[in-house]
Amino acid sequence: MSALSDLAFDPWDPAFVADPYPAYAELRARGRVLYYEPSDQWLVPRHADVSALLRDRRLGRTYQHRFTHEEFGRTAPPPEHEPFHVLNDHGMLDLEPPDHTRIRRLVSKAFTPRTVERLKPYVHRLANELVSALVEAGGGDLLTDVAEPLPVAVIAEMLGIPEADRAPLRPWSADICGMYELNPSEEAAEKAVRASVEFSDYLRELIAERRKEPGEDLISGLIAAHDEDDRLTEQEMISTAVLLLNAGHEATVNATVNGWWALFRNPDQLAALRADHSLVPSAIEELMRYDTPLQLFERWVLDEIEIDGTTIPRGAEIAMLFGSANHDPAVFTDPARLDLTRRDNPHISFSAGIHYCIGAPLARIELAASMTALLERAPTLALAAEPRRKPNFVIRGLEGVSVVVR
């Protein structure tokens, strides 16, 4: 165990956010677990530990299934933040068994591989339309013209949200996800609360409509899903729909823009990909490893654990550094090098264990569709200006990617 006052790890420093990977190398060299006072967390930077802890049932995404806030040595959130926490705490990502098991089982009944496969033609058609419009315009912003509209439309289509209602989805999601950063400001909390109320109110109305007139969409499927008399409560349905929308596009959007920015910075790899489109599947995995969209994932310590001789007490919070784990030289040969042909690539960008991303197959379909469309329809795609990195650390992305089609 080590203190971090002399290290370059600083999630609020723009220089660190621009390139956290050298600081991660320092963390891995320093030890397997390090206490970081500014966020009151224990940082875990190595791949083997992150992978094991994601599966360790002594840790949890919540503690409220076993302890009150007081018993756990934590302070309850302020009452004015309640709408965000009600929404967040009823989604399966922030629940533990038995509730997590029940909800994931019921969601899986509606979110089947067949459902995802059935979306493939829609995903490819939309990707081609978006890229064709970009080409016709001679360029634009890869973020707003392709990366964002594709997964937002796909998950909205899947949930059954009408096209006319989709404009607020991305802003709502962005405001809610602001609460997942380290030590969010009161302004961020206010935005998240407002978005939680508005998004929940909208979904409550949509669920009422689907109860009267069910369709083929996922919300109708969630209403119908049942197993041995278990059903989703209305709040669980709302929280699940919001989770699927937020998680269903945030990672895909950021993987797309981070990925293309990495390709532009590694022209040899981009040239190899343009010469051989069969590299797309391995390229997607490597780009998600190389510049990880979700850099940190948190767990509460429900029962005391020990890591490398350091005892971490019940009530502590562990921050697993996905970005660092994905650059661990103990697992990845020459991790700082982008290698689209990398075969042995056990990255953890989709997490692991019971909280493994249920939407990973859909994300891979979307990423492949947009990448293939850009390779085929915009073979001369080039960067028009160096993009600016978003100030966020946990959810890693760019403000935009200005491109030209020559």
Side-chain angles (χ1 to χ4, degrees):
M1 191 270 283
S2 174
L4 302 184
S5 56
D6 59 335
L7 288 182
F9 183 86
D10 183 354
W12 300 279
D13 177 7
F16 169 82
V17 171
D19 183 11
Y21 299 103
Y24 288 156
E26 282 190 68
L27 291 184
R28 291 191 303 271
R30 185 65 69 94
R32 290 172 54 193
V33 62
L34 307 101
Y35 179 68
Y36 187 58
E37 191 171 358
S39 63
D40 189 22
Q41 291 174 317
W42 294 84
L43 306 182
V44 178
R46 297 186 189 177
H47 187 282
D49 292 318
V50 171
S51 185
L53 290 172
L54 285 170
R55 298 168 170 85
D56 194 322
R57 302 313 306 136
R58 293 173 298 174
L59 307 181
R61 281 291 292 170
T62 184
Y63 53 79
Q64 293 184 70
H65 59 308
R66 285 182 52 184
F67 308 101
T68 65
H69 294 298
E70 294 72 24
E71 287 169 341
F72 206 61
R74 292 281 161 176
T75 306
E80 60 270 24
H81 296 179
E82 187 179 1
F84 165 79
H85 289 287
V86 167
L87 181 64
N88 186 70
D89 295 354
H90 285 82
M92 62 184 169
L93 184 61
D94 279 80
L95 288 170
E96 290 298 308
D99 284 332
H100 172 273
T101 312
R102 174 179 57 85
I103 293 175
R104 186 159 181 136
R105 184 178 66 240
L106 294 173
V107 171
S108 296
K109 282 171 165 276
F111 199 94
T112 63
R114 195 166 140 204
T115 310
V116 172
E117 195 64 26
R118 206 167 59 224
L119 279 168
K120 244 184 181 175
Y122 175 77
V123 174
H124 284 276
R125 184 173 72 252
L126 184 54
N128 285 319
E129 286 171 4
L130 293 168
V131 172
S132 294
L134 182 80
V135 171
E136 206 172 303
D141 183 352
L142 203 54
L143 176 74
T144 57
D145 295 342
V146 178
E148 277 186 350
L150 177 64
V152 172
V154 169
I155 199 69
E157 186 77 11
M158 197 174 186
L159 286 165
I161 297 174
E163 275 191 53
D165 296 350
R166 293 176 187 177
L169 296 180
R170 175 67 173 161
W172 280 337
S173 173
D175 286 348
I176 290 168
C177 289
M179 284 293 272
Y180 304 137
E181 293 299 318
L182 297 180
N183 302 355
S185 66
E186 189 52 41
E187 183 189 0
E190 286 171 9
K191 284 184 176 180
V193 166
R194 189 164 51 246
S196 298
V197 170
E198 291 174 2
F199 205 166
S200 296
D201 287 349
Y202 169 74
L203 286 168
R204 202 167 278 111
E205 287 181 22
L206 188 62
I207 288 166
E209 287 175 24
R210 291 294 184 273
R211 283 194 196 281
K212 290 180 200 160
E213 294 182 44
E216 295 294 309
D217 54 86
L218 189 55
I219 285 179
S220 298
L222 293 175
I223 292 168
H226 63 278
D227 186 7
E228 296 173 2
D229 297 326
D230 278 339
R231 286 187 184 273
L232 294 170
T233 66
E234 182 168 270
Q235 183 58 59
E236 287 168 349
M237 268 188 272
I238 290 168
S239 295
T240 296
V242 170
L243 172 63
L244 291 173
L245 187 281
N246 292 354
H249 82 272
E250 284 289 346
T252 310
V253 170
N254 294 317
T256 302
V257 293
N258 291 345
W260 277 95
W261 174 217
L263 289 169
F264 289 132
R265 297 198 314 276
N266 292 270
D268 61 320
Q269 293 298 296
L270 179 53
L273 183 59
R274 283 174 169 159
D276 182 3
H277 295 184
S278 72
L279 287 175
V280 166
S282 64
I284 288 166
E285 303 305 318
E286 174 66 350
L287 290 166
M288 290 198 74
R289 178 202 72 82
Y290 183 77
D291 202 6
T292 311
L294 182 67
Q295 290 280 310
L296 177 152
F297 207 62
E298 296 156 330
R299 286 283 198 279
W300 295 106
V301 179
L302 304 176
D303 295 301
E304 180 183 286
I305 64 169
E306 186 182 297
I307 301 174
D308 198 26
T310 298
T311 299
I312 303 179
R314 186 184 86 184
E317 191 175 32
I318 285 182
M320 290 171 279
L321 298 174
F322 282 17
S324 176
N326 282 343
H327 277 246
D328 190 339
V331 176
F332 304 98
T333 305
D334 198 2
R337 182 169 65 90
L338 182 68
D339 178 8
L340 302 187
T341 64
R342 194 183 294 272
R343 289 288 174 254
D344 186 16
N345 192 352
H347 70 77
I348 50 169
S349 300
F350 288 121
S351 192
I354 67 166
H355 290 291
Y356 180 78
C357 177
I358 199 170
L362 180 59
R364 288 185 166 108
I365 288 169
E366 292 167 347
L367 290 166
S370 68
M371 179 174 281
T372 301
L374 286 162
L375 291 170
E376 290 177 350
R377 292 168 184 260
T380 60
L381 189 74
L383 202 60
E386 183 163 324
R388 284 185 302 120
R389 179 67 61 187
K390 280 186 176 176
N392 305 346
F393 161 59
V394 175
I395 299 175
R396 181 170 174 77
L398 297 164
E399 298 282 6
V401 182
S402 183
V403 293
V404 292
V405 183
R406 296 187 175 122

